[in-house]
Amino acid sequence: MKGNEAIAEAAIRAGCRFYAGYPITPQNELCEYMARRMPEAGGTFIQSESEIAAINMVYGAGSAGARAMTSSSSPGISLKQEGISYLAGAEVPGVIVNMVRGGPGLGSIQPAQSDYFQATRGGGHGDYRTIVLGPGGIQEAVELTMLAFDLADRYRNPVVVLGDGMMGQMMEPVRFPEGPPPSLSPKPWATTGTPGRDRPNIINSLYIEAEACERHNQHLLQKYREMELREVRYELVDPEAEYFLVAYGTSSRICRAAMARAVADGLRVGMVRPITLWPFPRAAIERVVGRARAFLTVEMSAGQMVEDVRLAVEGRRPVYFFGRTGGAVPTPQEVMDCLKMIREGRGGEW
Amino acid sequence: MQRIFSRPQALTGVPFHYCPGCPHGIVHRLVAECLDEQGVRERAVGIAPVGCAVFAYNYFNCDMIQAAHGRAPAVATGVKRSRPDAVVFTYQGDGDLAAIGTAEIIHAATRGERITVVFINNAIYGMTGGQMAPTTLVGQETTTTPRGRDASYHGHPVRIPEMLALLDGAAYVARVSVHAPGHVNRARRALRRAFEVQLSNQGFSLVEVVSSCPTNWGMTPVEALRWVEQHMLPYYRLGEFKVPGHGEA
């Protein structure tokens, strides 16, 4: 299946019954798939008037207790940030898929990873975090999309699936989990009408007094700490290696190809592949930092995740970076060349 | 003793925070009475705007959601499509609905969303302290039109019901006023009709309520009501602009 379509199908199988979105390349197949399939599944598809409207529809549907999703690509995600901040502030679950393309501005329609800061730092206004899942292939995109809905409900928080144009457009065989859709736990906080309740439910992110707003922020912070404790996911390839690549999503696939070539050059190269980009898997770095000679972070950006890698390494080892921007994709050879330069002590600044 | 007047069930006992002479209290009560009369309070989900009525979620005794500035119709769409049995209303001011939320209101109407929109037009931005609204009249002084609104410089005031009545998805569109008791009764009837249109699944409904803002207009409440009649009503014509089965009026 094509990545975009697989994610859409996974969402429906995870119990998503509300999708609102606005077309933008390279994620249009997701929107189109939802238009076909959602009515069959007894759900709602709306082609909204804007990305802003779409995320606010998700805010409404999520408030009313539905599993709700929207998807877009970089410039559209910038517009959605207003609503994502509201979802976080009002503790409304929702899933946001970003098939990242080159930027800034209108950028390109080619795959990129340059929305990492925006996704992992909150992105919108205020002190908040979203869990960010970075699939390394279509099968994993299916699994993580389904997980995203569970995590969104568990924490009453928006969850981002961060893919890229390549992930959206490429095709791979996928297997969907057998069995009926999950039976969803009740949401007693949802605004569904008041029968059986003596008090109305209010979904709100306004705390007009500083102290009250700070208390709310402390409550959210507590939740984010819990996510950091429980939700870290990563893959560690060859923990006994000398050099470690750090990469997620599409660049992790390029790194895998580079690793295969490295063997021929007598280099033992492992990989730390973050699956949750937030919370960032510092534990994976911790496991190998003692023996690693150096880290090389590879991204389709000017260097964003590398900051998290440096924070985790804390200066104990050199951390090098290689990236391409604007929609250009690094090649395994370029990664290999970087590794060789690092081995020869010509790695440049770190 | 027979009780002939009491607080509607659909209002909580929380005292309104509105300025003296502000009609929000009247309109809140009218909306609450509609929910009571039609027996839908328990099915109701209200969407509060950004602006003076942001605390509406404290006053309506039904489930409530606070929406981002202008986005109430999109939020309402998400609720209504997920819960078709819910009776969904938004309560929005002129900045919220006619400036930052213009796209949302037009597209909710054109999709024929089964929601009821209560639109308060007092021709000024209240909560932010009296700046020009899209509905500010030509010549009207505000903090951002200190020499009065000049159409050639600031543009023209916008008439929302007249615009929305053109859209096929809009089923009921009316403009009322609450500056005098007879008008309050007419406003009640329009709001009731708007909710009936939603309950009978006929499409989108909106009632604009021409309102006053004594604080930001710099007038006494009575002067402000007189100003509504003398200046606003000639520009903002009252009436039903679209009713089900009759097309555009």
Side-chain angles (χ1 to χ4, degrees), chain B residues 109-180:
Chain B
T110 199
R111 284 193 305 269
E113 294 296 342
R114 272 63 171 161
I115 62 171
T116 298
V117 174
V118 183
F119 168 40
I120 310 298
N121 173 9
N122 60 13
I124 204 158
Y125 280 16
M127 192 176 239
T128 47
Q131 298 84 8
M132 181 182 74
T135 49
T136 293
L137 294 176
V138 170
Q140 189 180 341
E141 286 181 15
T142 71
T143 59
T144 51
T145 54
R147 285 172 290 278
R149 184 174 188 161
D150 174 353
S152 68
Y153 188 84
H154 303 102
H156 298 267
V158 60
R159 295 181 178 100
I160 291 291
E162 285 88 336
M163 277 169 62
L164 296 187
L166 299 172
L167 304 175
D168 291 338
Y172 181 74
V173 183
R175 183 185 288 119
V176 297
S177 172
V178 288
H179 71 285

Side-chain angles (χ1 to χ4, degrees), chain A residues 2 21 46 60 125 142 218 260 295 307:
Chain A
K2 203 167 186 177
I46 297 186
H125 60 281
V142 164
Q218 292 294 346
F295 294 88
E307 294 193 1

Side-chain angles (χ1 to χ4, degrees), chain B residues 175-192:
Chain B
R175 183 185 288 119
V176 297
S177 172
V178 288
H179 71 285
H183 283 278
V184 172
N185 281 328
R186 260 170 267 170
R188 180 187 286 112
R189 282 199 294 277
L191 286 164
R192 190 187 301 146

